[in-house]
Amino acid sequence: MGLDDTLTRLKPSLGKHIGCDIIEVNPGIGIWSEKLHNVLKPRTHILFEADHRLYQPILQPLLDAPGSTFKLIPKSGLVWGHMEKVLSDEYLPHQEPLVRGDPRLEKPNDTLLFVANLGHYPKRSFKGFSSMANLVLYQFMSALRTHSLFQRYGQVRMLIWVDNDEKDTILPQSISFRRKAAIEAEISCEKIQVVAASTTRNTFPRDHDLELQSTRLAYEKMDKMGIRTPQGRESSCLEELISGVPSDLRKTGSVGTSVSFLEELRGLEAQYAAGKLGDWEYINPSARRPRIRSESPELSRLRKLRYLEKFQQRKFEKREGMKTELDEIFALQREVHATRQPEQRQALEEVLKHRTDAWKGRLDGLDEDSFDNTMAYLDNGRIFERKPRSLMWDRRDYEPLKVRADEFLPMREMCLLDIQHKSLWPILQEKVPDNYDAFEYILSQLLIIPSQNICRGLSALAPGAYDYLIAECPSLTDPTKGGSLDVELTSVRCLTDEMLKEIIEAWVRWPFKPNRFEIMGKLGSTTWDPDASATDQSDD
């Protein structure tokens, strides 16, 4: 069963939580609750269940068992007023709420574990978020940073079930999804692991060969740690990796080209070569565009697949050519960066400018769709090659276990996220909440258009922002740290953690930055205090 395999995967890291307190939201029929309880033997296991009339009869045996430490709260744990009442000595006598500034807030609290199921909500937008689950994940991430809710007891690990596609918001597998929420998760969390998932492809997947490389990295880590995947629980990429990926998949290199497509094509070609599909028959073979007189459905399918393969091949070769040229430009940038002899540096800079201008010309010649797809392809490749890799997905310790929709009630594709957070940068712990409000503003403005280059993004923050920040943030123009001597070659969604940290640190030092209430107004806050605004300005 999927839950048993999931717990087996988690067991090595759950040992430190044995005998802890558990707060669980939406246990439903309690199968996961009981299995987790049996492993951890918690001293307190609080169950928040809003639909208690339906589920209490099913949960009652857990509550009535001899020595049971289960406690049912017939309220929604996602209503923070209900949650606050439970975060007390009455329900959690072994937990000590910590005041701001206590160093224990920045350390893991292994005596408390938070568990939730956010997968039962219908998928619909809610208050500007794509779904209720998306909103709650955002609130949980905010709690990490502000040490609110159950995070007031220290850094509390979270195990959260969500619909499979909800994970992309905070743990994207492609640069296309690296938005504000994902970047905030990266700076707030030490790890976000996908323990189990349907392992289906993303809505906007990246190049398949790149995903296979990412899976290979995870597989190598698993091998070193002795982690095994039960048969039948392998993700689609892990199956391909173990069984051997066809070499011609890399030749096509297309997101839209799958192994099943290639297997079908090669199979039909083998049948055609053996004479099992008949032969081509034309009314006039000498005509420029002869009409096919007759062909079997299999022969027609072969013809279409061959055309598609050639189309994908041409597209792949064009993109690869642009990627190769861009890689050579960045290699030349690193050479310029390392050169100290003025005459030699000037000569290299002239060559670099010529090649960069030619490459930009090729990019500008693309139509809108081709431009977007090419930029996503190039950006995905660029951030994957960095160390540490920008996407937390590419830093995962293991490949997710594959679970099926029919293993859940009601049937749906689900995903278990294991979220473990870390301390914020010192600059974001100072002048709370002013500095974080400023950081949120910077991210919001930059990522209005995630594919825009750094020059345009920084210029949109405030008058003079680009000139000041580009001079104060050396990593932006350091090609050895993921930056670029020509910042027009770097999109804002490719900014590294180091770059973002330098930007907010420089922003706080900048004497001409917008004040906090100007920022809050741009972020859509309805709060306005002109007296506080004046004070804010004088403090600067």
Side-chain angles (χ1 to χ4, degrees), residues 280-287 289-294:
W280 303 97
E281 297 182 17
Y282 301 103
I283 291 178
N284 183 3
S286 63
R289 296 186 63 185
R291 289 190 306 148
I292 300 172
R293 182 168 59 193
S294 64

Side-chain angles (χ1 to χ4, degrees), residues 126-174:
F126 184 79
K127 292 189 175 181
F129 291 84
S130 61
S131 68
M132 174 67 80
N134 200 269
L135 167 62
V136 174
L137 283 174
Y138 170 80
Q139 292 173 328
F140 285 160
M141 288 296 159
S142 297
L144 295 180
R145 298 187 291 271
T146 59
H147 305 296
S148 57
L149 298 176
F150 45 86
Q151 302 292 350
R152 69 184 62 171
Y153 300 112
Q155 296 180 346
V156 177
R157 183 180 183 180
M158 298 186 288
L159 298 176
I160 302 178
W161 287 99
V162 295
D163 281 358
N164 194 67
D165 58 353
E166 299 283 5
K167 69 181 184 297
D168 295 327
T169 303
I170 61 172
L171 189 68
Q173 294 176 230
S174 170

Side-chain angles (χ1 to χ4, degrees), residues 14 164 166 198 269 435:
L14 288 177
N164 194 67
E166 299 283 5
S198 72
E269 285 180 334
N435 286 359

Side-chain angles (χ1 to χ4, degrees), residues 264 268 277 294-304:
E264 181 184 6
L268 287 173
L277 299 184
S294 64
E295 62 182 17
S296 65
E298 292 81 7
L299 198 57
S300 177
R301 177 65 175 165
L302 174 60
R303 181 164 53 86
K304 292 177 181 178

Side-chain angles (χ1 to χ4, degrees), residues 498-516:
E498 181 180 4
M499 293 172 187
L500 291 166
K501 184 170 179 286
E502 286 183 354
I503 288 172
I504 183 58
E505 288 173 342
W507 181 272
V508 170
R509 296 192 303 267
W510 189 26
F512 303 110
K513 64 182 178 291
N515 65 51
R516 179 170 182 260

Side-chain angles (χ1 to χ4, degrees), residues 344-382:
Q344 184 180 0
R345 184 184 177 100
Q346 183 178 0
L348 287 172
E349 286 175 340
E350 290 177 1
V351 175
L352 176 60
K353 184 180 186 309
H354 175 75
R355 296 190 66 173
T356 302
D357 289 345
W359 189 87
K360 287 180 180 179
R362 290 183 64 187
L363 197 63
D364 291 340
L366 300 175
D367 60 59
E368 186 175 350
D369 287 341
S370 297
F371 178 86
D372 291 341
N373 291 334
T374 299
M375 287 304 300
Y377 175 74
L378 296 173
D379 284 350
N380 272 317
R382 186 176 178 191

Side-chain angles (χ1 to χ4, degrees), residues 314-337:
R314 288 194 299 270
K315 184 168 71 171
F316 174 70
E317 289 173 350
K318 185 175 182 179
R319 292 193 314 182
E320 275 298 288
M322 295 194 70
K323 182 180 184 302
T324 299
E325 180 65 17
L326 186 62
D327 289 344
E328 291 174 358
I329 287 172
F330 281 120
L332 191 53
Q333 282 194 14
R334 289 189 289 271
E335 189 177 351
V336 170
H337 181 77

